[in-house]
Amino acid sequence: MKSLTSRRARAIVVALAAGSLALTACSKNEGGKSGADSKKDQQQASVQSKAVTYADAAGSTGPAPEVPGAKPGGTIQVYQEAGLSHLDPGQIYVSDAGQVANLLFRRLTQFKEDDKGNVSVVGDLATDSGQSSDGGKTWTYKLKDGVKDANGKPITSADVRHSVERLYAKFIFDGPTYLQTWLSGADYRKALPGGGFDGKHLPATVLDTPDDKTVVFHFDTARPDLPQTLAMAGYGVVPEKSDTKEKYDKAPVATGPYKIQSYKADKSLVLVKNTNWDPKTDSVRHQYVDGFNFQFGITESTQTKRLIADQGEDKNAIQLTNGVEATQVQDVVGNPEVNKRVTKGYQPYVMQLTFNLDRVKDKKVREAVTYAVNSKALIAGEGGVYGGDVAPNYFAPTLPGYEPTYDPYGRLKTPQGNIAKATEMVKALPENEKTLVFAYSNSEAGQKRKVAIEDALTKVGFKIVSKEVDSASYYEQIGKLANPYDMYITGWGQDWPSPGTVVTPIYDGSQVADGSSNYSHVKDQKVDALIKKALTQQPTEAAATWKEAHHYLLENVIPSAPLWYTKQIMLSGSNIGGARYGSVSSLIDINRLYLKS
């Protein structure tokens, strides 16, 4: 899951994700004093490394449990600095759109979180989390009765098949690729270049729909994580007869509790109730408020000021993926009345300074930068201890296999950078390798990061040429193979609790392509072999393989410099009810909000 706003990364999901946005993966936290104690925060974050359970039909039956004290009515105001990356489900892999997707789109399965932060996978469109056979190579899903889209048309297995097959089309370039590659290999687009729009389909030996209510996936190896994969926002259903291809990104058809009334890209998005959504079919979502009014272009600092003041419509407002602006954190946590309205917790994202290996080919350059970067200054720009902790490696505290003391570059001892060592390394470099082009997002957070990166690297002898990139299309721009940048800050978080959802999407050589999340363009035979090995092992055996891959990447390849682990601290208006930190989104749990009056 990648992150766009400080992480806020993809995944994600996750943001789930991401995000930056990043689809993704934190323990429930409704306020209080946590956030200043990093060790305590990391212990709380470990809830995300717990195994996700798979629910049966009983656990997948709606309606969702009522939120205590919830009332119907009213409109929630939603503030966000950057515009949405996408609205087409197949393109969603960062946290901003992932949050919106929770309101708009349903998929075969969905993540469900209890009041203790435990997460399960339930059937969403499907009656349960899935039935596996053939040693886990075959998965069968039955669709629930009474599920319709916003136009009142029943969702059938043909719509699910279409939603999968359209992902093979070239215009889908920015979403997750797990399912496609599992079904058809790394070159999956060749298996169905028309994306199903030309009347051709995947063979029944790969994807079968024997009747209107049944969907069967056939893989060449066991895929025990499929229920979690299908719960990602990027696998939301797209009704076949409503699909407008590229245009769908601007006007998608809803299947969730809300639908789009109006959308002005980068300006506003208005959601209203979807009257064709049946709560009896949905065990996760609610429809308490009449709608959501998203306002884009509101800076993080302005959001924070307005929410602290808590006047008028701001009482009914939330932040989407932005958080409390760094310089105002103390104004929030130091005021008991304001601090009561805080939602905070650990995120699954590791923010990194990622190198474009097609341009920064000398490992010594990458090593020097890794020693030089100033995590302390970057974290200060995120809100200090409330915004993040120094990252000594690529695995976050939320991930199984996290090693808090694995620190090959001494980041924990020198969070401001090892200036002396980096300076000596830069002196030994050829002059033509001392100039580096750095891409940064044109958001408030991006501007702060630019200053910190320039200061740290200039200090040790590098010349930094900074290039501004539009924040709404940031990941799209750095995701181009031929991008003109040497390095850029990225954030990635687990799509579900497995190192495979971190190592595979960003370091697998087969993922080097336009729109892929292998932003460093790593192609290493040893890494690829370890990934392939781990994906065929049981989790306990795979743990050692993922660890080997992690250490080899950080010490021998250096595709990026680890910078910081992200935390999130968000503020809501005083009239917002049901606010809690979501373990799945690593943001405010948008599924359960209501207005108190």
Side-chain angles (χ1 to χ4, degrees):
M1 166 185 358
K2 70 185 158 194
S3 147
L4 221 170
T5 69
S6 116
R7 114 165 145 146
R8 277 94 80 172
R10 228 177 205 194
I12 248 165
V13 187
V14 100
L16 293 238
S20 133
L21 295 168
L23 210 208
T24 40
C26 287
S27 60
K28 182 177 77 76
N29 192 321
E30 299 185 37
K33 297 181 180 178
S34 119
D37 185 336
S38 295
K39 289 184 178 179
K40 180 180 178 182
D41 286 350
Q42 291 193 11
Q43 289 173 351
Q44 292 177 334
S46 67
V47 71
Q48 284 180 259
S49 68
K50 293 166 63 177
V52 171
T53 58
Y54 293 168
D56 58 13
S60 305
T61 301
E66 290 292 334
V67 176
K71 299 178 181 179
T75 298
I76 291 179
Q77 308 297 317
V78 186
Y79 301 149
Q80 179 77 346
E81 184 169 349
L84 294 175
S85 50
H86 293 288
L87 277 175
D88 183 328
Q91 302 270 50
I92 294 177
Y93 208 168
V94 293
S95 52
D96 61 344
Q99 282 284 75
V100 178
N102 283 326
L103 303 172
L104 290 176
F105 308 122
R106 300 180 68 174
R107 38 268 203 191
L108 280 176
T109 61
Q110 174 65 289
F111 292 106
K112 184 176 183 179
E113 182 178 350
D114 67 16
D115 58 4
K116 296 179 181 179
N118 298 308
V119 177
S120 60
V121 175
V122 300
D124 189 2
L125 293 173
T127 56
D128 57 23
S129 56
Q131 298 294 320
S132 65
S133 57
D134 189 24
K137 295 181 181 180
T138 298
W139 284 84
T140 301
Y141 289 89
K142 297 284 187 179
L143 300 184
K144 292 176 179 175
D145 295 327
V147 179
K148 300 177 181 179
D149 66 21
N151 295 323
K153 296 179 181 177
I155 299 297
T156 70
S157 61
D159 295 309
V160 176
R161 182 187 64 192
H162 173 73
S163 302
V164 174
E165 293 180 338
R166 71 191 298 273
L167 301 175
Y168 289 62
K170 288 185 178 180
F171 73 88
I172 300 292
F173 58 87
D174 214 16
T177 60
Y178 293 107
L179 182 60
Q180 306 94 293
T181 55
W182 290 354
L183 289 171
S184 304
D187 294 329
Y188 64 89
R189 293 189 194 275
K190 294 180 180 178
L192 197 70
F197 291 98
D198 54 4
K200 297 179 181 178
H201 300 290
L202 294 173
T205 53
V206 173
L207 175 60
D208 194 12
T209 51
D211 57 55
D212 286 348
K213 287 294 184 70
T214 306
V215 180
V216 186
F217 297 98
H218 297 283
F219 304 103
D220 59 3
T221 189
R223 296 297 180 185
D225 289 344
L226 182 66
Q228 297 180 77
T229 309
L230 295 174
M232 297 173 68
Y235 294 118
V237 70
V238 174
E240 182 175 16
K241 294 182 180 178
S242 300
D243 196 344
T244 54
K245 297 185 179 181
E246 290 90 344
K247 296 179 181 178
Y248 199 75
D249 214 4
K250 300 301 180 185
V253 175
T255 49
Y258 295 91
K259 64 180 181 180
I260 298 173
Q261 183 180 72
S262 65
Y263 178 46
K264 296 179 181 178
D266 301 326
K267 294 182 179 180
S268 66
L269 172 68
V270 178
L271 304 185
V272 296
K273 284 185 176 181
N274 172 11
T275 55
N276 283 298
W277 173 78
D278 185 353
K280 293 193 296 293
T281 69
D282 198 326
S283 66
V284 177
R285 303 171 185 83
H286 298 280
Q287 199 184 50
Y288 291 129
V289 297
D290 297 327
F292 291 80
N293 180 18
F294 293 76
Q295 300 174 46
F296 305 107
I298 303 177
T299 64
E300 200 167 51
S301 58
T302 299
Q303 294 174 31
T304 305
K305 290 175 184 176
R306 288 171 59 172
L307 288 167
I308 289 174
D310 197 41
Q311 299 295 312
E313 283 297 306
D314 295 330
K315 293 182 178 181
N316 300 333
I318 63 169
Q319 296 180 291
L320 184 66
T321 65
N322 296 130
V324 174
E325 193 268 327
T327 63
Q328 300 177 70
V329 167
Q330 291 305 320
D331 295 333
V332 172
V333 299
N335 184 326
E337 288 303 309
V338 177
N339 195 40
K340 286 193 301 186
R341 300 189 271 117
V342 156
T343 304
K344 61 176 178 271
Y346 236 108
Q347 296 190 302
Y349 306 103
V350 182
M351 303 305 293
Q352 305 168 31
L353 182 60
T354 296
F355 303 109
N356 180 343
L357 298 188
D358 291 333
R359 292 169 59 99
V360 188
K361 297 182 179 181
D362 190 339
K363 178 187 172 185
K364 293 180 181 179
V365 174
R366 306 195 296 274
E367 192 173 11
V369 171
T370 302
Y371 276 111
V373 285
N374 188 336
S375 292
K376 189 173 182 179
L378 287 160
I379 292 169
E382 303 296 315
V385 291
Y386 290 93
D389 290 329
V390 176
N393 57 64
Y394 299 149
F395 279 13
T398 60
L399 192 70
Y402 168 63
E403 299 174 85
T405 60
Y406 175 50
D407 185 16
Y409 297 95
R411 306 296 299 147
L412 298 175
K413 291 183 179 180
T414 57
Q416 75 285 1
N418 190 330
I419 307 303
K421 186 174 184 66
T423 300
E424 287 301 310
M425 296 180 75
V426 174
K427 284 181 181 178
L429 294 173
E431 282 301 314
N432 65 340
E433 293 191 353
K434 295 181 182 180
T435 299
L436 295 170
V437 180
F438 171 61
Y440 68 97
S441 165
N442 65 351
S443 63
E444 283 187 338
Q447 294 284 349
K448 293 176 184 176
R449 295 170 189 174
K450 166 183 173 288
V451 173
I453 293 295
E454 286 179 341
D455 180 66
L457 298 186
T458 301
K459 189 177 294 183
V460 301
F462 284 109
K463 178 183 178 182
I464 305 303
V465 179
S466 297
K467 299 289 187 179
E468 183 178 277
V469 178
D470 176 63
S471 58
S473 62
Y474 178 76
Y475 274 96
E476 182 179 337
Q477 297 306 315
I478 66 172
K480 294 178 180 178
L481 276 183
N483 77 68
Y485 315 119
D486 294 321
M487 55 187 187
Y488 21 78
I489 289 179
T490 65
W492 191 270
Q494 65 207 50
D495 287 313
W496 56 84
S498 167
T501 68
V502 172
V503 178
T504 307
I506 53 179
Y507 302 123
D508 187 339
S510 69
Q511 298 289 318
V512 178
D514 282 333
S516 165
S517 46
N518 187 335
Y519 298 110
S520 57
H521 310 159
V522 174
K523 279 188 176 181
D524 187 282
Q525 290 183 348
K526 181 171 181 178
V527 174
D528 291 346
L530 289 170
I531 290 173
K532 187 175 181 180
K533 178 181 177 182
L535 290 175
T536 63
Q537 295 175 311
Q538 292 300 313
T540 50
E541 296 175 314
T545 308
W546 291 126
K547 178 179 179 178
E548 183 181 353
H550 179 203
H551 287 217
Y552 176 78
L553 280 160
L554 186 52
E555 297 172 38
N556 297 88
V557 182
I558 321 179
S560 63
L563 299 174
W564 75 94
Y565 300 135
T566 66
K567 299 177 184 176
Q568 176 65 295
I569 175 169
M570 308 177 79
L571 193 57
S572 301
S574 60
N575 198 36
I576 295 291
R580 73 174 182 187
Y581 200 70
S583 293
V584 175
S585 66
S586 299
L587 298 162
I588 193 169
D589 189 343
I590 204 166
N591 287 329
R592 48 182 277 127
L593 301 178
Y594 65 91
L595 294 179
K596 298 175 184 177
S597 62

